[in-house]
Short mmCIF file of all heavy atoms in Angstrom, two decimals:
data_model
loop_
_atom_site.label_atom_id
_atom_site.label_comp_id
_atom_site.label_asym_id
_atom_site.label_seq_id
_atom_site.Cartn_x
_atom_site.Cartn_y
_atom_site.Cartn_z
N SER A 15 -135.65 8.97 -144.11
CA SER A 15 -136.36 10.25 -144.18
C SER A 15 -136.28 10.85 -145.58
O SER A 15 -135.52 11.79 -145.82
CB SER A 15 -135.78 11.24 -143.16
OG SER A 15 -134.35 11.27 -143.23
N PRO A 16 -137.05 10.29 -146.53
CA PRO A 16 -137.02 10.81 -147.90
C PRO A 16 -137.43 12.26 -148.01
O PRO A 16 -137.01 12.96 -148.93
CB PRO A 16 -138.01 9.90 -148.64
CG PRO A 16 -138.87 9.31 -147.57
CD PRO A 16 -138.00 9.18 -146.37
N GLU A 17 -138.23 12.73 -147.05
CA GLU A 17 -138.66 14.13 -147.07
C GLU A 17 -137.52 15.10 -146.80
O GLU A 17 -137.63 16.30 -147.04
CB GLU A 17 -139.79 14.35 -146.06
CG GLU A 17 -139.38 14.35 -144.60
CD GLU A 17 -139.08 12.96 -144.02
OE1 GLU A 17 -139.35 11.96 -144.72
OE2 GLU A 17 -138.60 12.89 -142.87
N ARG A 18 -136.39 14.60 -146.31
CA ARG A 18 -135.24 15.46 -146.01
C ARG A 18 -134.21 15.46 -147.13
O ARG A 18 -133.11 15.97 -146.97
CB ARG A 18 -134.59 15.03 -144.69
CG ARG A 18 -135.50 15.18 -143.47
CD ARG A 18 -134.68 15.41 -142.22
NE ARG A 18 -133.95 16.66 -142.29
CZ ARG A 18 -132.77 16.87 -141.67
NH1 ARG A 18 -132.21 15.89 -140.97
NH2 ARG A 18 -132.16 18.04 -141.78
N ILE A 19 -134.60 14.92 -148.29
CA ILE A 19 -133.78 15.02 -149.49
C ILE A 19 -134.47 15.98 -150.45
O ILE A 19 -135.65 15.82 -150.75
CB ILE A 19 -133.60 13.65 -150.17
CG1 ILE A 19 -132.92 12.65 -149.22
CG2 ILE A 19 -132.79 13.79 -151.45
CD1 ILE A 19 -132.80 11.25 -149.79
N MET A 20 -133.77 17.00 -150.89
CA MET A 20 -134.37 17.96 -151.83
C MET A 20 -133.43 18.21 -153.00
O MET A 20 -132.22 17.92 -152.93
CB MET A 20 -134.70 19.28 -151.13
CG MET A 20 -133.49 20.13 -150.75
SD MET A 20 -134.00 21.80 -150.19
CE MET A 20 -134.58 22.51 -151.75
N TYR A 21 -134.01 18.72 -154.06
CA TYR A 21 -133.23 19.10 -155.23
C TYR A 21 -133.14 20.61 -155.29
O TYR A 21 -134.14 21.31 -155.15
CB TYR A 21 -133.85 18.56 -156.52
CG TYR A 21 -132.88 18.63 -157.67
CD1 TYR A 21 -132.10 17.53 -158.00
CD2 TYR A 21 -132.72 19.80 -158.41
CE1 TYR A 21 -131.18 17.59 -159.03
CE2 TYR A 21 -131.80 19.87 -159.44
CZ TYR A 21 -131.04 18.76 -159.75
OH TYR A 21 -130.11 18.82 -160.76
N LEU A 22 -131.93 21.12 -155.50
CA LEU A 22 -131.72 22.56 -155.59
C LEU A 22 -131.80 22.96 -157.07
O LEU A 22 -130.83 22.86 -157.82
CB LEU A 22 -130.37 22.94 -155.00
CG LEU A 22 -129.98 24.42 -155.02
CD1 LEU A 22 -131.10 25.31 -154.50
CD2 LEU A 22 -128.70 24.64 -154.22
N LYS A 23 -132.97 23.40 -157.47
CA LYS A 23 -133.22 23.81 -158.86
C LYS A 23 -132.73 25.24 -159.03
O LYS A 23 -133.44 26.20 -158.76
CB LYS A 23 -134.71 23.70 -159.17
CG LYS A 23 -135.10 24.00 -160.61
CD LYS A 23 -136.60 23.85 -160.78
CE LYS A 23 -137.06 24.15 -162.19
NZ LYS A 23 -138.54 23.98 -162.33
N SER A 24 -131.50 25.36 -159.48
CA SER A 24 -130.87 26.68 -159.52
C SER A 24 -129.75 26.71 -160.56
O SER A 24 -128.92 25.80 -160.61
CB SER A 24 -130.30 27.02 -158.14
OG SER A 24 -129.51 28.18 -158.18
N THR A 25 -129.73 27.77 -161.37
CA THR A 25 -128.60 27.95 -162.28
C THR A 25 -127.37 28.40 -161.51
O THR A 25 -126.24 28.10 -161.90
CB THR A 25 -128.95 28.98 -163.36
OG1 THR A 25 -129.34 30.22 -162.74
CG2 THR A 25 -130.11 28.49 -164.23
N GLY A 26 -127.58 29.12 -160.40
CA GLY A 26 -126.46 29.61 -159.61
C GLY A 26 -125.71 28.52 -158.88
O GLY A 26 -124.56 28.74 -158.45
N ALA A 27 -126.32 27.35 -158.73
CA ALA A 27 -125.67 26.23 -158.05
C ALA A 27 -125.28 25.12 -159.02
O ALA A 27 -124.93 24.02 -158.61
CB ALA A 27 -126.60 25.66 -156.98
N THR A 28 -125.32 25.41 -160.32
CA THR A 28 -125.01 24.41 -161.34
C THR A 28 -123.51 24.38 -161.62
O THR A 28 -122.91 25.41 -161.93
CB THR A 28 -125.75 24.73 -162.65
OG1 THR A 28 -127.16 24.74 -162.41
CG2 THR A 28 -125.43 23.69 -163.72
N VAL A 29 -122.91 23.22 -161.50
CA VAL A 29 -121.49 23.08 -161.85
C VAL A 29 -121.38 22.47 -163.23
O VAL A 29 -122.30 21.78 -163.71
CB VAL A 29 -120.71 22.22 -160.82
CG1 VAL A 29 -120.96 22.71 -159.40
CG2 VAL A 29 -121.06 20.75 -160.94
N GLU A 30 -120.26 22.71 -163.87
CA GLU A 30 -120.02 22.18 -165.22
C GLU A 30 -118.77 21.30 -165.21
O GLU A 30 -117.82 21.57 -164.47
CB GLU A 30 -119.84 23.31 -166.23
CG GLU A 30 -121.10 24.11 -166.48
CD GLU A 30 -120.94 25.10 -167.61
OE1 GLU A 30 -119.81 25.63 -167.77
OE2 GLU A 30 -121.92 25.34 -168.34
N THR A 31 -118.81 20.28 -166.04
CA THR A 31 -117.68 19.37 -166.17
C THR A 31 -117.56 18.94 -167.62
O THR A 31 -118.59 18.87 -168.33
CB THR A 31 -117.86 18.14 -165.25
OG1 THR A 31 -116.67 17.35 -165.26
CG2 THR A 31 -119.03 17.28 -165.68
N PRO A 32 -116.37 18.70 -168.12
CA PRO A 32 -116.25 18.30 -169.53
C PRO A 32 -116.74 16.88 -169.75
O PRO A 32 -116.57 16.01 -168.89
CB PRO A 32 -114.75 18.42 -169.79
CG PRO A 32 -114.11 18.26 -168.45
CD PRO A 32 -115.07 18.89 -167.47
N PRO A 33 -117.34 16.61 -170.90
CA PRO A 33 -117.76 15.25 -171.22
C PRO A 33 -116.57 14.41 -171.67
O PRO A 33 -115.50 14.95 -171.95
CB PRO A 33 -118.74 15.46 -172.39
CG PRO A 33 -118.19 16.66 -173.09
CD PRO A 33 -117.64 17.55 -172.00
N PRO A 34 -116.72 13.11 -171.72
CA PRO A 34 -115.65 12.28 -172.29
C PRO A 34 -115.30 12.76 -173.69
O PRO A 34 -116.20 13.05 -174.49
CB PRO A 34 -116.26 10.87 -172.31
CG PRO A 34 -117.28 10.90 -171.21
CD PRO A 34 -117.84 12.29 -171.23
N PRO A 35 -114.03 12.85 -174.02
CA PRO A 35 -113.62 13.46 -175.28
C PRO A 35 -113.78 12.57 -176.51
O PRO A 35 -113.80 13.06 -177.64
CB PRO A 35 -112.14 13.78 -175.05
CG PRO A 35 -111.69 12.75 -174.06
CD PRO A 35 -112.87 12.52 -173.16
N ASP A 36 -113.89 11.26 -176.31
CA ASP A 36 -113.98 10.35 -177.46
C ASP A 36 -114.90 9.19 -177.12
O ASP A 36 -115.32 9.01 -175.98
CB ASP A 36 -112.60 9.84 -177.88
CG ASP A 36 -111.81 9.25 -176.71
OD1 ASP A 36 -112.36 8.37 -176.01
OD2 ASP A 36 -110.67 9.68 -176.48
N LEU A 37 -115.20 8.40 -178.14
CA LEU A 37 -116.16 7.31 -177.99
C LEU A 37 -115.69 6.27 -176.98
O LEU A 37 -116.49 5.77 -176.17
CB LEU A 37 -116.43 6.66 -179.34
CG LEU A 37 -117.49 5.55 -179.36
CD1 LEU A 37 -118.84 6.10 -178.92
CD2 LEU A 37 -117.59 4.94 -180.76
N LYS A 38 -114.41 5.96 -176.98
CA LYS A 38 -113.89 4.94 -176.06
C LYS A 38 -114.07 5.35 -174.61
O LYS A 38 -114.55 4.56 -173.78
CB LYS A 38 -112.41 4.69 -176.36
CG LYS A 38 -111.79 3.58 -175.53
CD LYS A 38 -110.33 3.34 -175.94
CE LYS A 38 -109.71 2.22 -175.12
NZ LYS A 38 -108.29 1.99 -175.52
#
């Protein structure tokens, strides 16, 4: 049921995470 998958386009539901700190 692909129609039952949606994207929540919202700044209020946006989580943040740190990026990898170095190239390795």
